[in-house]
Amino acid sequence: ICLIHFTKRESIDMPDKKKSKDDPKKEAKKLKVDQSAESFNYDPVHFIRSHSKNNDPADVQTQIWEVVFEPDPLDNSRTLSNVATCGGNSICIIDVNSGTVLMKYKHKDNRENFYTLAWTTLELGGEKTNILASGGIKGEIRMFHPSAKVCFHEWRPLDKKNTAVNSLVFHSSNPSWLFCGTNDGYVSLFDVGVPTLPTYEGVAPKQLLKLYPDYGDVYNLAWSGHESKWLFAGTAAGLVGWNIEEEKVTPKYRPMMVDFLLPENERDKGENPIVDSIAIAGEHSIVAKCANHGLIYIFDLKKTVKEIATDEGKKDKVIEKEVSLLGNLKWSDTDNFYMNLGCHKGKGLVVCGDDKGSLWLYNLPGLTTSGADPIKKIVEPTTRLMWPELQDDHLENSRKVPLDRHDIIIDKVTVSADSNHIVAVTSNNMVCIWKRTDDDSSTSDS
């Protein structure tokens, strides 16, 4: 594990920082959506190469695919100061304040490539305890109790060989329910059970539901929350979703599938878009990104599904529904795929990285509330955080080509509940921690 030092920091102020020439009424309305860009200053504080194969301090090949803030076990709407990251055959827990790697788990098989992580809070021994689940190329799901540094269970959601687990997400009100998306196109729901300390007995994952959209690979899943109850899947052929009613869940339950039609783009050449990232900005505000569109879409879930009857009587029917857009966010024109955006539900700060190592920040708190007014114009980023100049002694000593000579693909970004920390992970084995530098930012929790 090695820590990289900075020599220079650069950021770009976006056009929306300049005074608008619009009339005052329009400007006032705009500010409700875009809280002053001036307050979004972040400094790079810790850049860490923590997933190196064979502990090579100059490993720039390992891709880190996922980063997720650990929830506060007493209040899941808040986050602690730790993130979990995964890439190659290892998983790390890192403290964002100190940049310290608190835990590192290595799979004994070097061919494992961990793609996805999900946190949940279960009651163990009468205490609310955070549990981490992982999935990857080998098709296994592993369960961890990080504070005890224990991997206590593993299983395969599918019997088929060569089937990767691409995405995991836990249900919000049933914390032992785990949704799983795989590269054979299936979406499954398991009840993983609750372990009993100290032996961790009681974990016997039971499949509750299996869905097959038949839209190719399932790249990522997102759960809207237990008020709206929608499960979304970003696939090779579009965005699909199901309204999951907990009380009806049985192995025979088949909720109706909705194909959420995102705006068409000529770069799709008439085909369905590849939806390579989805996130929940609010209970009814969904963020989606299509490969090659150069835009990020936010849509109003409540308005979109308003007239859909989701009863299971039409279980084999697929309803196509055009999304009710709240905003089009200007993003990179890259033709690279799988740069996953991040946001903390209900806070309004949406962040997405690109293939140049920079982060695009959009501060849109007005779009996270129910019944928000759509923004007609394309929304420019509030600010952009550029890749800093690094003093990388390990890389120089190994005589490898410096990172910034190649594309630096930001594979995933996550944001703390108070927006004080943004953490990005890259295609060249870097965990990048940025800290907000405003006077008004709180330091009580991350």
Side-chain angles (χ1 to χ4, degrees), residues 132-279:
L132 185 68
S134 71
I137 202 167
K138 285 175 67 69
E140 301 168 348
I141 295 176
R142 288 178 172 250
M143 307 284 293
F144 300 86
H145 180 189
S147 61
K149 297 185 178 175
V150 171
C151 173
F152 61 85
H153 194 77
E154 64 180 86
W155 88 97
R156 287 179 172 275
L158 296 158
D159 294 329
K160 285 184 275 184
K161 282 187 175 180
N162 305 317
T163 304
V165 175
N166 284 343
S167 187
L168 296 171
V169 64
F170 279 97
H171 194 280
S172 48
S173 58
N174 283 308
S176 65
W177 283 19
L178 177 64
F179 295 104
C180 169
T182 44
N183 72 342
D184 61 350
Y186 279 93
V187 175
S188 314
L189 170 61
F190 292 88
D191 188 342
V192 298
V194 179
T196 305
L197 297 179
T199 59
Y200 295 94
E201 288 174 5
V203 178
K206 178 186 167 193
Q207 188 170 288
L208 303 179
L209 191 60
K210 193 172 185 180
L211 304 166
Y212 184 55
D214 199 12
Y215 276 41
D217 283 31
V218 173
Y219 296 123
N220 40 50
L221 300 176
W223 172 249
S224 67
H226 51 273
E227 290 174 32
S228 48
K229 301 179 184 176
W230 280 87
L231 176 68
F232 291 94
T235 76
L239 178 66
V240 297
W242 302 267
N243 187 237
I244 308 282
E245 297 175 81
E246 298 158 57
E247 63 281 1
K248 293 184 181 177
V249 170
T250 66
K252 290 185 178 178
Y253 173 54
R254 288 292 173 273
M256 190 180 64
M257 187 173 97
V258 176
D259 183 348
F260 290 92
L261 303 178
L262 294 161
E264 290 180 5
N265 188 291
E266 60 188 25
R267 290 169 82 173
D268 294 328
K269 297 177 181 170
E271 300 290 322
N272 283 4
I274 295 169
V275 177
D276 64 354
S277 188
I278 40 176

Side-chain angles (χ1 to χ4, degrees), residues 23 71 79 85-86 131 169 177 207 239 285-286 298 309 340 344 424:
D23 66 67
T79 49
T85 60
C86 70
I131 297 296
V169 64
W177 283 19
Q207 188 170 288
L239 178 66
S285 303
I286 313 303
I298 302 188
N340 272 288
H344 190 84

